[in-house]
Amino acid sequence: MNLRLVAAALGALIAVLGLLMSTAVPWSLHVQDGQHFAFLLVIVSCVIVGGTVFFLLRDPDAEYGLRDAFAIVTLGWLSVGLVGAVPYVVTGSLPTFTDAVFESFSGFTTTGATVLDDIEKLPHSVLFWRSLTHWLGGMGIIVLSVAILPLLGVGGMAMFKAEVPSPVVDKIKPTVAATAKTLWKVYVVFTVAEILLLYVAGMDFFDSVCHTFGTLATGGFSTKNLSIGYYQSPLIDVIVIVFMLIAGINFTLHYQALTGNWRAYLRSEECRLYLIIYGAATAFICWNIYGTGEGGFWAGLNKSAFQTASIMTTTGYGTTDWERWPWACQWLLVTLMFMGGCAGSTAGGMKCMRLVIVGKHVLRELKLLIHPRAVIPLKIDRRVVSPAIINSILAFIGLFVGVWVVSTLLLVILNIDVVTAVGATTATLSNIGPGLNKVGAADSYGWLPVPAKWILIFNMIVGRLELYTVFVLMVPDFWRK
Amino acid sequence: MNLRLVAAALGALIAVLGLLMSTAVPWSLHVQDGQHFAFLLVIVSCVIVGGTVFFLLRDPDAEYGLRDAFAIVTLGWLSVGLVGAVPYVVTGSLPTFTDAVFESFSGFTTTGATVLDDIEKLPHSVLFWRSLTHWLGGMGIIVLSVAILPLLGVGGMAMFKAEVPSPVVDKIKPTVAATAKTLWKVYVVFTVAEILLLYVAGMDFFDSVCHTFGTLATGGFSTKNLSIGYYQSPLIDVIVIVFMLIAGINFTLHYQALTGNWRAYLRSEECRLYLIIYGAATAFICWNIYGTGEGGFWAGLNKSAFQTASIMTTTGYGTTDWERWPWACQWLLVTLMFMGGCAGSTAGGMKCMRLVIVGKHVLRELKLLIHPRAVIPLKIDRRVVSPAIINSILAFIGLFVGVWVVSTLLLVILNIDVVTAVGATTATLSNIGPGLNKVGAADSYGWLPVPAKWILIFNMIVGRLELYTVFVLMVPDFWRK
């Protein structure tokens, strides 16, 4: 590993983060919440420290190796999460270190779990920063999952190698830069569109911006204690539903659609399954909650469509308390928590694609029992998936379940009841946000003991970085020359 | 598929079952419970019908093909389970068809879930038959998992191909017969040993026999409503613990040990892990329940050792209600429900071996990220495991989880609460017996609606037959010429 290169990259990252943080200052000045000095202090420190490290250590001719890339991704996410916690502390919004770090990582990993019981009392600039961490995290994730992880071969993401047209494909730096630019354009287009639509639908401009950040990043931080439920507006619900669903689809498909190839969505098996499961789950829930106090048919359809989208895309916004719904709805939503959205989107969870491949693998093994000597290729979108990718995906799911079991056990040992522990682990590892029972939609994570918060922070990070990106740093081999 | 061959085999199976059923008659005569005529009726019918089919259709020179073997295993288990239900009906012990079939399959699959609220009111002969179904199911499972499934390549069991010395290995019939004889000797030795020990420890002879059948088959049917807890005898607890643990170990290791190679246990990675997890879980639970009303240190150790063994080996006997234990103990026990015992034992669940391989696969993928071009073999007991076997095991686990999720969803749709549904699905799919909440250790499955019982019967069968053996019959390809 080239330590110098890694340090330079982290320096640049922090300096850029400082510059982006400056977008919170106008909000502070606009509403006069008195936090602009606190923000300026953090911004200047970030730019000076990060910039200095970058300019001292940078080496424009160096090429990144595999280990450098792993280190930059994981350590980069860690640094950004830690630095992002500073505004919460200096503004006095979250005085304890653990809570600030929890909220910051929850933002950057687009999880949306909060330690705050009363969100609305936060200064506007802090609320903006909180939502901005989602949006930036979402940007990071898109590039990570479409451009970086495929090159690193993490969790079967190699399947998406070079799906986006790019001038150079054999070198990490230019490929990543080109892909990032392309996808970020798409991300910005959707961002502008949703802000405008929400504003037109009656949300004020500040809230439109913050909720757009939370939607497109599948984050879930709101500026209201009642989340989207605050607005009681079916029109706003529908806008948020549509953009949550958009955010849960592979962004390379959006790129293709925006450049004229609208059929790309339907040609992708993963996207088809995602939409079919979404439709089926919504219909099932709508049918089950009919007559249980969620209003008439249209109100019930709205609520089931919203909640299913929110959980499938791992956003975590709410318009109702689905823990009062019939058990069958709850069980279905919990299983969807594990699945998550499409690979290459901002959604978390295991991703539809991986489950498609597991399903096909299971069916193939059935056929192999009847024809033991047959060679049966596993295909996705008419292309053969290599055994290496299948192995990688199966290992990913194994690791996911392993982390899930251990994390839940640790929480339960800390004397948290089983349902809350299961909910908290799932909601953080899948980057959803609200969990079950005492960390449900109507509750915060604030009451949890400090060790539990750190376990959940760990879950958010490993869940977001597709597990292997983090765990690879824990293998002794990684640090050997 | 050679239908004639399959029918002949099923005929033979039912005739033999009839003969074995006759062992219930002496008990009936001994205690004069008045059921001997009912049993004789069933026995004679089985022998006549089964025998006729066998002698009309048998073909001594025919060799079994792959599909014949699959059909015989699954249809054989189904026929035995259905015929085994008849004594419950004709003796009036379980008047409804569904309940009788549930109890019968619960016996033959060595699950141990019961629909009876008051076991002790059953006639002695029926109690004996109930326990005998466990013992026979256990015999079936040992041969199935050590001799038949490896040849069929189900769920990675091919790993154990020809582990037991056998004169002919390339033909199914002689291999199976030779292996069966060898392993059954071991099974009978343990059976005699446990009966004697329990009798000496103060249990009456009838109960010693029934509880031995329930232990060695990792079944869990008792003759007492309070299960083993009825005896309040630490000596009996220890005997049952030891034999449960024995029953959860691969019987080929027992064969090696009984023929002088005592180190076989320690040389097997699976067995080592099984014992280590058992020890660690017992210690953890013992530490956690200390001072929570389970008595002093020794009483607590006894109870944790018993309950851990009962669940890890998927037996389901109880000496206490562990649903009152601290959450951490409950969570640990629930996760152990999924693992189960060793492959090649009478225990259910996913089996330690499969989880060992998943763990090694996950670690190997981590190393491959650092050395993408390396070839890293996956070894168990110093032998390389082929990619085909790894694929098969990963697919098995995928299918297990899939069936688990769907079964739980169906139960929840039938308006059963989530915890009960999760418990019932896990307890039947892993062939444990008692589940959680309303189907917990102190409850029966009798109150469940009829469709729920059939879902659980399905779970017991597919769980016991390593899923693929049953599912392969549902592939259209299987029935094509």
Side-chain angles (χ1 to χ4, degrees):
Chain A
M1 202 175 73
N2 188 335
L3 266 179
R4 181 180 155 179
L5 214 58
V6 173
L10 298 183
L13 207 58
I14 288 165
V16 171
L17 186 70
L19 293 175
L20 291 165
M21 204 182 282
S22 60
T23 53
V25 177
W27 294 108
S28 173
L29 294 172
H30 179 63
V31 299
Q32 305 241 326
D33 65 8
Q35 300 297 355
H36 53 283
F37 274 119
F39 270 100
L40 280 173
L41 185 75
V42 184
I43 292 162
V44 171
S45 317
C46 283
V47 174
I48 290 179
V49 174
T52 311
V53 169
F54 174 68
F55 282 107
L56 283 178
L57 299 178
R58 77 191 172 128
D59 175 3
D61 303 325
E63 195 43 57
Y64 296 98
L66 206 53
R67 296 176 195 207
D68 307 321
F70 277 119
I72 290 172
V73 170
T74 301
L75 300 179
W77 225 276
L78 286 179
S79 330
V80 164
L82 289 172
V83 171
V86 179
Y88 295 116
V89 179
V90 294
T91 60
S93 310
L94 283 167
T96 76
F97 177 66
T98 301
D99 281 356
V101 170
F102 187 97
E103 201 78 3
S104 174
F105 275 107
S106 178
F108 282 110
T109 59
T110 82
T111 303
T114 183
V115 292
L116 290 157
D117 292 310
D118 182 6
I119 297 161
E120 291 166 26
K121 74 167 190 212
L122 284 192
H124 258 46
S125 51
V126 175
L127 280 180
F128 177 79
W129 170 244
R130 193 164 163 265
S131 295
L132 184 66
T133 57
H134 270 342
W135 195 70
L136 298 175
M139 276 193 145
I141 279 309
I142 295 173
V143 175
L144 191 68
S145 63
V146 176
I148 303 177
L149 295 185
L151 296 176
L152 301 183
V154 166
M157 300 298 282
M159 241 165 65
F160 302 107
K161 215 177 252 182
E163 279 221 333
V164 171
S166 147
V168 195
V169 288
D170 54 343
K171 294 198 168 183
I172 291 183
K173 230 165 44 177
T175 311
V176 172
T179 312
K181 264 186 210 159
T182 309
L183 296 178
W184 285 347
K185 273 183 209 159
V186 177
Y187 194 62
V188 169
V189 167
F190 284 132
T191 304
V192 173
E194 191 185 346
I195 293 175
L196 289 176
L197 285 171
L198 286 178
Y199 187 67
V200 169
M203 213 183 260
D204 77 30
F205 185 65
F206 177 77
D207 291 341
S208 302
V209 170
C210 289
H211 284 119
T212 295
F213 287 175
T215 312
L216 283 176
T218 70
F221 277 159
S222 175
T223 50
K224 304 292 178 194
N225 288 332
L226 292 174
S227 189
I228 303 293
Y230 170 87
Y231 296 97
Q232 300 283 338
S233 154
L235 183 58
I236 287 178
D237 292 347
V238 170
I239 296 168
V240 175
I241 291 170
V242 169
F243 280 92
M244 286 196 290
L245 288 175
I246 286 175
I249 291 175
N250 191 326
F251 271 71
T252 60
L253 296 179
H254 292 315
Y255 170 76
Q256 290 175 43
L258 289 179
T259 54
N261 180 10
W262 284 97
R263 293 209 183 136
Y265 296 124
L266 296 178
R267 283 216 191 99
S268 155
E269 278 186 58
E270 182 185 31
C271 184
R272 282 206 307 266
L273 183 82
Y274 167 80
L275 294 173
I276 290 168
I277 291 180
Y278 174 69
T282 301
F284 178 84
I285 291 173
C286 182
W287 171 59
N288 269 279
I289 63 172
Y290 187 71
T292 62
E294 290 287 5
F297 173 76
W298 290 105
L301 180 63
N302 179 356
K303 278 174 183 158
S304 53
F306 193 98
Q307 219 48 59
T308 309
S310 176
I311 282 185
M312 259 184 79
T313 62
T314 72
T315 305
Y317 277 143
T319 51
T320 185
D321 182 5
W322 59 275
E323 286 187 88
R324 289 174 309 156
W325 286 357
W327 287 315
C329 302
Q330 295 191 36
W331 179 252
L332 185 63
L333 289 174
V334 169
T335 55
L336 292 178
M337 283 185 172
F338 287 89
M339 185 181 77
C342 302
S345 74
T346 61
M350 293 184 186
K351 314 284 181 309
C352 295
M353 177 61 89
R354 293 207 177 90
L355 298 186
V356 173
I357 288 181
V358 172
K360 291 194 171 195
H361 179 67
V362 166
L363 287 178
R364 180 171 65 166
E365 285 296 313
L366 264 181
K367 286 184 191 152
L368 278 174
L369 285 178
I370 307 169
H371 310 289
R373 288 187 196 84
V375 176
I376 307 170
L378 195 163
K379 288 183 185 177
I380 290 281
D381 297 344
R382 293 187 194 154
R383 290 190 307 179
V384 174
V385 181
S386 76
I389 287 174
I390 297 170
N391 275 337
S392 175
I393 287 172
L394 294 170
F396 171 88
I397 292 174
L399 190 56
F400 192 98
V401 174
V403 172
W404 187 84
V405 169
V406 172
S407 157
T408 308
L409 179 61
L410 292 175
L411 293 179
V412 171
I413 290 176
L414 291 170
N415 215 23
I416 295 162
D417 73 279
V418 173
V419 177
T420 303
V422 164
T425 296
T426 313
T428 49
L429 196 57
S430 278
N431 300 119
I432 297 163
L436 303 168
N437 203 8
K438 291 186 197 152
V439 293
D443 315 276
S444 91
Y445 286 73
W447 62 276
L448 288 170
V450 171
K453 285 179 185 161
W454 285 100
I455 293 166
L456 298 179
I457 292 170
F458 176 81
N459 285 348
M460 292 193 260
I461 299 167
V462 298
R464 187 71 283 185
L465 298 183
E466 309 279 334
L467 306 165
Y468 274 97
T469 320
V470 178
F471 279 100
V472 77
L473 269 69
M474 300 178 194
V475 180
D477 258 26
F478 185 87
W479 300 99
R480 262 179 222 138
K481 190 69 197 167
Chain B
M1 200 174 76
N2 188 334
L3 267 180
R4 182 180 153 178
L5 215 57
V6 173
L10 298 184
L13 207 59
I14 288 166
V16 170
L17 185 69
L19 294 174
L20 292 165
M21 204 184 281
S22 60
T23 53
V25 178
W27 294 108
S28 173
L29 295 172
H30 179 65
V31 298
Q32 305 241 326
D33 65 7
Q35 301 296 356
H36 53 285
F37 274 120
F39 269 101
L40 281 174
L41 185 74
V42 184
I43 292 162
V44 171
S45 318
C46 284
V47 173
I48 290 179
V49 174
T52 310
V53 169
F54 174 67
F55 282 107
L56 285 178
L57 300 178
R58 75 191 174 126
D59 175 1
D61 302 326
E63 195 42 59
Y64 294 98
L66 206 55
R67 295 176 197 206
D68 306 321
F70 277 119
I72 290 172
V73 170
T74 301
L75 300 179
W77 225 274
L78 286 179
S79 328
V80 163
L82 288 172
V83 172
V86 180
Y88 294 116
V89 179
V90 294
T91 61
S93 311
L94 283 168
T96 77
F97 176 66
T98 301
D99 281 355
V101 171
F102 187 98
E103 201 78 4
S104 175
F105 274 107
S106 178
F108 281 111
T109 59
T110 83
T111 303
T114 183
V115 292
L116 291 157
D117 292 309
D118 183 7
I119 297 161
E120 291 165 28
K121 74 167 189 212
L122 284 192
H124 257 45
S125 51
V126 175
L127 279 179
F128 177 78
W129 170 244
R130 195 164 161 265
S131 292
L132 184 66
T133 57
H134 270 343
W135 195 70
L136 298 175
M139 277 194 143
I141 280 310
I142 295 174
V143 175
L144 192 69
S145 62
V146 175
I148 303 177
L149 296 185
L151 296 176
L152 301 183
V154 165
M157 300 296 284
M159 243 166 64
F160 302 108
K161 215 177 252 183
E163 278 222 334
V164 172
S166 146
V168 195
V169 289
D170 54 341
K171 294 196 168 185
I172 291 184
K173 230 164 44 175
T175 312
V176 171
T179 312
K181 266 187 210 158
T182 309
L183 296 178
W184 284 347
K185 274 183 209 158
V186 177
Y187 194 60
V188 170
V189 166
F190 283 131
T191 304
V192 173
E194 191 185 348
I195 293 175
L196 289 177
L197 286 171
L198 286 178
Y199 187 66
V200 169
M203 212 183 260
D204 76 30
F205 184 64
F206 177 77
D207 290 341
S208 301
V209 170
C210 289
H211 284 120
T212 295
F213 287 174
T215 313
L216 283 176
T218 70
F221 277 160
S222 175
T223 51
K224 305 291 178 194
N225 289 332
L226 292 174
S227 190
I228 302 293
Y230 170 86
Y231 295 97
Q232 300 283 341
S233 153
L235 183 57
I236 287 177
D237 292 347
V238 170
I239 295 169
V240 174
I241 291 170
V242 169
F243 279 92
M244 286 195 291
L245 288 175
I246 285 175
I249 292 175
N250 191 329
F251 271 70
T252 59
L253 296 179
H254 292 315
Y255 171 76
Q256 290 175 43
L258 289 178
T259 53
N261 180 10
W262 283 97
R263 293 210 183 134
Y265 295 124
L266 297 178
R267 284 217 190 97
S268 156
E269 277 187 57
E270 183 186 31
C271 185
R272 282 206 305 266
L273 183 83
Y274 167 80
L275 294 173
I276 289 169
I277 291 179
Y278 175 69
T282 302
F284 178 83
I285 290 173
C286 182
W287 171 57
N288 269 278
I289 63 172
Y290 187 72
T292 62
E294 289 288 4
F297 173 75
W298 290 106
L301 180 62
N302 179 356
K303 278 172 184 159
S304 53
F306 193 97
Q307 218 48 59
T308 309
S310 177
I311 283 184
M312 258 183 79
T313 62
T314 72
T315 305
Y317 277 143
T319 51
T320 185
D321 183 5
W322 59 274
E323 285 186 88
R324 290 175 308 156
W325 286 357
W327 286 317
C329 302
Q330 294 191 38
W331 180 252
L332 185 64
L333 288 174
V334 170
T335 56
L336 292 178
M337 283 185 172
F338 287 90
M339 185 180 79
C342 301
S345 73
T346 61
M350 293 184 185
K351 315 282 181 310
C352 295
M353 175 62 88
R354 293 208 177 89
L355 297 185
V356 173
I357 287 181
V358 172
K360 291 194 172 194
H361 179 68
V362 166
L363 287 178
R364 180 171 64 166
E365 285 296 313
L366 263 182
K367 286 185 192 152
L368 279 174
L369 285 178
I370 308 170
H371 310 289
R373 286 185 198 85
V375 176
I376 307 170
L378 195 163
K379 289 183 185 177
I380 290 279
D381 297 343
R382 292 187 196 152
R383 291 189 308 179
V384 174
V385 182
S386 77
I389 287 173
I390 298 171
N391 274 337
S392 176
I393 286 172
L394 295 170
F396 172 89
I397 292 174
L399 190 56
F400 193 99
V401 174
V403 172
W404 186 84
V405 169
V406 173
S407 159
T408 308
L409 179 61
L410 293 175
L411 292 179
V412 171
I413 290 176
L414 292 169
N415 215 22
I416 294 163
D417 73 278
V418 172
V419 177
T420 303
V422 164
T425 296
T426 314
T428 48
L429 196 57
S430 278
N431 300 120
I432 296 163
L436 303 168
N437 203 10
K438 291 185 198 153
V439 293
D443 315 277
S444 91
Y445 286 73
W447 62 274
L448 288 170
V450 171
K453 284 179 186 161
W454 286 100
I455 294 166
L456 299 178
I457 292 170
F458 177 81
N459 285 348
M460 292 193 258
I461 299 168
V462 297
R464 186 71 284 185
L465 299 182
E466 309 278 332
L467 306 167
Y468 275 96
T469 321
V470 179
F471 279 99
V472 76
L473 269 68
M474 300 178 194
V475 181
D477 259 27
F478 185 86
W479 302 98
R480 260 181 223 136
K481 190 67 197 169

